[in-house]
Structures are given as C-alpha cells and as structure tokens.
Amino acid sequence: MANKKNKVKFGLKNVYYAKATFDDDGNVTYGTPTRIPGAVNFSMDPEGENEPWYADNIVYVVLNNNSGYSGDLEIAIIPESFYTEILHEELDSNGVMAENTEVEVEHFALMFQFEGDKFATRHVLYNCTCSRPAMESATTEDSKEPQTDTLSLTASALANGYVKAKTCSTTSEDVYNSWFDAVYEPQAAAAETTSEEDTEDDANG
C-alpha cells in the first residue's frame, strides 16, 4: 500500500461486529468478527471538547477531553445473530426470539470500510454499545421502498485508552488483507516496538 494516498472517500461496505469480553482488570478479548450485510449509512460524531485551563491571566494549558464517539449505523436489516449475541434476545426451542428486560447488552468492536480513489480505508471502533433499535415499517404504495434498521451507537475508550484504529498508506499488506479476520489490537504492535527499542539501547550501552 506504499505511496497510495486517497484524495477523496466515498461508499460504505464490509461492516462487521465482534463481541468483546472484559476481565476484572479491563483487558479485552474479541470473538470472531461477523458480517452485517446491507450497510446504508454510517455517521459518528466525537464526544468531549477541549477545555482551556487558566493561569497567569492566560490560557495556561488546553485539556483534551476525548469521550469517544456517538452516532448511528443504518443497515438494511439487523441480523438475527446480532440480536442474540449482542442484544441478548432469547431464541427458544420453537425458534421464537424474545426480548427480556433482565439481560444486559454486550460490548463489541465495530469494523467497517470507506472506499477511496486509491484504496479503501478499513476502520475499527474498539468498545461499542448500542441501544435497542426502534420498531418501524410503512405500508406499501405504488412502489416498494425498503425500510431500514438503525443502530444508535456509543464508542468509548478501552482501559488502555484506545478508541479506534484505521489503515493508511503505510499499513502492511498482511495487516490490511486480514483486517476483518480478527480485531486488530495496536497495543501488541506498541509492545513489540518498545521491546526493540530496549534491545537497541542495551546494545548501545
């Protein structure tokens, strides 16, 4: 992907979710990503603002308050697997799905792709939750217009501070091509880099 830099972006495809499981220390493991077909529209707005702190009669420092993102994912129809795995609706022995107020929804990673003029940028939001989707449809008139489903999402930081990641012009082909096979976790790469730097420091005395 070297020397490939987009000038524009367009389109939305390859939307996946992966269930997140947290241990008592906040460390996360992810399930195998599952595709959500029929992506229509996706929009996430940043939460949190820069806050100035004053001293010596001036803005002494600006504090960055990154509270993640919130927004909507519009899709053709929510997959049954998302209802059972993430929203925890119950599938009984007769194949009927029921909503229960006693259950808690799961956290999940959301992966998706924006097209570009040179290459498609692949993204992941690491710690998403969603509210229960609305129930709506409409009568059929002279022409049929599909009714879509919308998931209202909140994306927060993990315990290690990471909120999201995306591919870019320097991303290796191996990482890019396997992006939707498993949730990419940048802290592993950071740990390897630190280890290499420590080795070089030791060698240099």
Side-chain angles (χ1 to χ4, degrees):
M1 293 178 61
N3 301 320
K4 292 183 179 180
K5 295 183 179 180
N6 286 327
K7 294 182 179 180
V8 295
K9 64 179 178 180
F10 48 85
L12 170 66
K13 64 184 297 186
N14 288 336
V15 178
Y16 287 76
Y17 72 90
K19 180 180 173 182
T21 302
F22 295 87
D23 65 18
D24 293 339
D25 296 322
N27 300 312
V28 62
T29 56
Y30 295 100
T32 302
T34 300
R35 184 168 178 260
I36 301 178
V40 177
N41 188 51
F42 182 63
S43 177
M44 297 288 281
D45 295 321
E47 295 290 332
E49 299 178 353
N50 291 335
E51 299 179 357
W53 187 80
Y54 292 85
D56 293 335
N57 295 329
I58 62 171
V59 177
Y60 199 75
V61 65
V62 176
L63 304 175
N64 179 30
N65 180 17
N66 185 340
S67 299
Y69 296 81
S70 64
D72 295 321
L73 171 64
E74 182 184 4
I75 54 181
I77 192 168
I78 300 171
E80 290 183 1
S81 62
F82 191 88
Y83 277 109
T84 56
E85 294 175 21
I86 304 301
L87 298 177
H88 271 314
E89 295 202 3
E90 300 169 359
L91 192 64
D92 71 8
S93 59
N94 291 317
V96 175
M97 195 176 297
E99 180 180 319
N100 189 324
T101 62
E102 300 300 319
V103 300
E104 295 289 336
V105 299
E106 298 284 352
H107 291 237
F108 59 96
L110 187 71
M111 309 159 76
F112 51 95
Q113 176 175 312
F114 292 156
E115 301 299 309
D117 58 310
K118 294 296 184 181
F119 70 95
T121 304
R122 295 177 169 178
H123 299 254
V124 57
L125 293 165
Y126 286 112
N127 186 17
C128 295
T129 55
C130 71
S131 58
R132 291 175 298 130
M135 294 190 298
E136 56 185 349
S137 193
T139 189
T140 300
E141 299 180 353
D142 293 336
S143 60
K144 291 183 178 179
E145 182 175 349
Q147 305 294 307
T148 59
D149 286 338
T150 298
L151 291 172
S152 294
L153 306 172
T154 299
S156 305
L158 295 172
N160 58 22
Y162 286 112
V163 178
K164 66 182 181 69
K166 66 178 181 179
T167 61
C168 60
S169 60
T170 58
T171 302
S172 71
E173 293 288 344
D174 288 342
V175 169
Y176 184 86
N177 292 334
S178 61
W179 191 259
F180 300 112
D181 296 339
V183 176
Y184 178 78
E185 298 183 64
Q187 62 268 28
E192 291 173 5
T193 301
T194 301
S195 177
E196 291 174 358
E197 290 175 349
D198 291 342
T199 301
E200 291 177 359
D201 291 341
D202 293 341
N204 293 331

